[in-house]
Amino acid sequence: MTLPVIELKEAESLFDIRPLQPSLGAEISGIDLADPLDDHRLGALQAALLHYRVLFFRDQDITREQQIAFGAAFGELEVHPVFSLPDYPQILPLISRDFIGKYRASPDSNWHADTTFRPDPSAASILRALVSPSLGGDTVFANAVAAYESLDEAVRARIDGLTAIHDPSVFIQFLDSEEKKEALRAQYPEVEHPVVRLHPETGEKVLYVNSVFTRRIKGLEPEESGRLLALLFNQFKRPEFQVRWSWRPNSVAFWDNRATQHYAVPDYNEPRHMERVTIIGDRPIGPSQTR
């Protein structure tokens, strides 16, 4: 879907925007996501998303149908290959009912961009909290453009033309039969993406490797690939590139998956129930590539 091009200044006249950190993140108020939004307001939200990279909303008591409709206004929605609701295949449930003990590792508790194992990884995600812990369970987002720009010049020159291999093998542990595991491997074989991608709307260079789905850098020996990936992964851990969001029921986060990574902090031992819709993106292109 093509939305009208709206300048950020005009977006600021349509709803309230409160920046949360210098690098990224803004809280949006004065808008009800349960109401159908005209193209002008949708374009304004898109402008805010491109500028702030992740938008946050409070007190959005929306139904699953309304969440799906809101996401679909920005593009076609994907169906997750492992986790989705039978009656709402566009929705990915993230449920931690029996989270006993803090700091338990999971795929979400590592820095990542969503679905980079796909040939066309997601463009953006919209996550809503239904149940949240009384304390803890935050999500931290990091600016992947700043992560690239802060690398020294020699590293940037080295990685601009490299590609990396991504796959969904992290999900294998959640499948209960060899047949399902083999089917996932067949459906999503290894895919190659540029280590540095160009954002398709802003033209910015984005650091595009992550610790969940990226396996190795093509053409490098394993030890060299591991050292370089460790250096690049560490960029997302720098607090100056981050914003941290504390969830409450009916809070919503809307992030640009092409320009951010995120980390779900596993520091809680109470139920946490989130639901996500994800907008299909396009094939990542590197600085020296053309579509």
Side-chain angles (χ1 to χ4, degrees):
M1 177 178 293
T2 301
L3 296 172
V5 176
I6 304 293
E7 296 294 330
L8 181 64
K9 191 171 185 64
E10 185 176 355
E12 292 171 340
S13 70
L14 296 175
F15 38 75
D16 295 324
I17 302 176
R18 183 173 70 90
L20 298 181
Q21 290 295 333
S23 184
L24 79 168
E27 186 171 347
I28 306 297
S29 57
I31 190 168
D32 187 348
L33 302 185
D35 295 333
L37 302 177
D38 59 30
D39 286 353
H40 197 66
R41 285 182 175 269
L42 291 170
L45 284 174
Q46 185 176 47
L49 181 68
L50 292 176
H51 183 80
Y52 293 105
R53 310 193 193 284
V54 55
L55 306 179
F56 302 106
F57 308 80
R58 293 288 191 196
D59 304 319
Q60 299 292 331
D61 187 10
I62 57 177
T63 65
R64 286 172 171 166
E65 290 83 0
Q66 288 165 336
Q67 184 177 2
I68 290 170
F70 178 63
F74 294 92
E76 184 181 354
L77 301 182
E78 68 182 34
V79 174
H80 197 277
V82 179
F83 310 106
S84 62
L85 293 178
D87 295 333
Y88 298 91
Q90 306 95 327
I91 290 180
L92 166 68
L94 299 167
I95 304 174
S96 302
R97 289 195 184 94
D98 302 315
F99 205 109
I100 301 173
K102 298 180 181 179
Y103 318 125
R104 188 175 69 181
S106 71
D108 281 342
S109 58
N110 287 289
W111 283 103
H112 66 287
D114 290 328
T115 72
T116 65
F117 61 84
R118 294 180 183 267
D120 301 318
S122 65
S125 296
I126 300 165
L127 181 65
R128 180 170 70 103
L130 283 75
V131 177
S132 58
S134 58
L135 189 65
D138 297 353
T139 301
V140 187
F141 295 84
N143 183 337
V145 176
Y148 169 79
E149 291 176 344
S150 67
L151 291 165
D152 66 50
E153 186 176 352
V155 174
R156 294 199 307 270
R158 183 186 183 194
I159 66 175
D160 272 2
L162 296 178
T163 60
I165 304 302
H166 300 238
D167 72 29
S169 57
V170 68
F171 294 131
I172 293 293
Q173 62 184 304
F174 298 104
L175 300 176
D176 57 9
S177 71
E178 285 302 319
E179 183 179 5
K180 290 179 181 179
K181 293 176 182 179
E182 287 305 315
L184 181 67
R185 294 187 186 102
Q187 184 179 4
Y188 292 101
E190 292 183 342
V191 64
E192 186 176 334
H193 293 315
V195 172
V196 179
R197 74 171 293 180
L198 293 178
H199 193 289
E201 294 183 72
T202 68
E204 296 166 302
K205 289 184 177 181
V206 180
L207 186 56
Y208 203 65
V209 291
N210 69 87
S211 59
V212 171
F213 301 120
T214 306
R215 297 289 158 256
R216 64 189 183 278
I217 296 179
K218 186 176 180 181
L220 300 186
E221 293 297 321
E223 287 189 9
E224 184 182 8
S225 171
R227 286 195 300 270
L228 183 54
L229 284 175
L231 183 152
L232 300 178
F233 294 161
N234 278 336
Q235 285 293 97
F236 297 95
K237 300 175 184 179
R238 293 176 58 174
E240 63 267 35
F241 303 152
Q242 298 174 3
V243 63
R244 183 167 180 145
W245 180 244
S246 294
W247 295 97
R248 299 199 300 257
N250 293 324
S251 297
V252 172
F254 181 12
W255 65 89
D256 186 341
N257 194 61
R258 304 159 299 185
T260 64
Q261 289 192 23
H262 55 281
Y263 176 94
V265 183
D267 61 349
Y268 57 96
N269 55 7
E270 297 176 299
R272 184 178 188 268
H273 182 178
M274 326 286 280
E275 292 187 351
R276 189 184 88 194
V277 299
T278 305
I279 301 157
I280 294 173
D282 55 4
R283 179 172 61 92
I285 296 296
S288 61
Q289 298 174 290
T290 57
R291 293 193 182 276

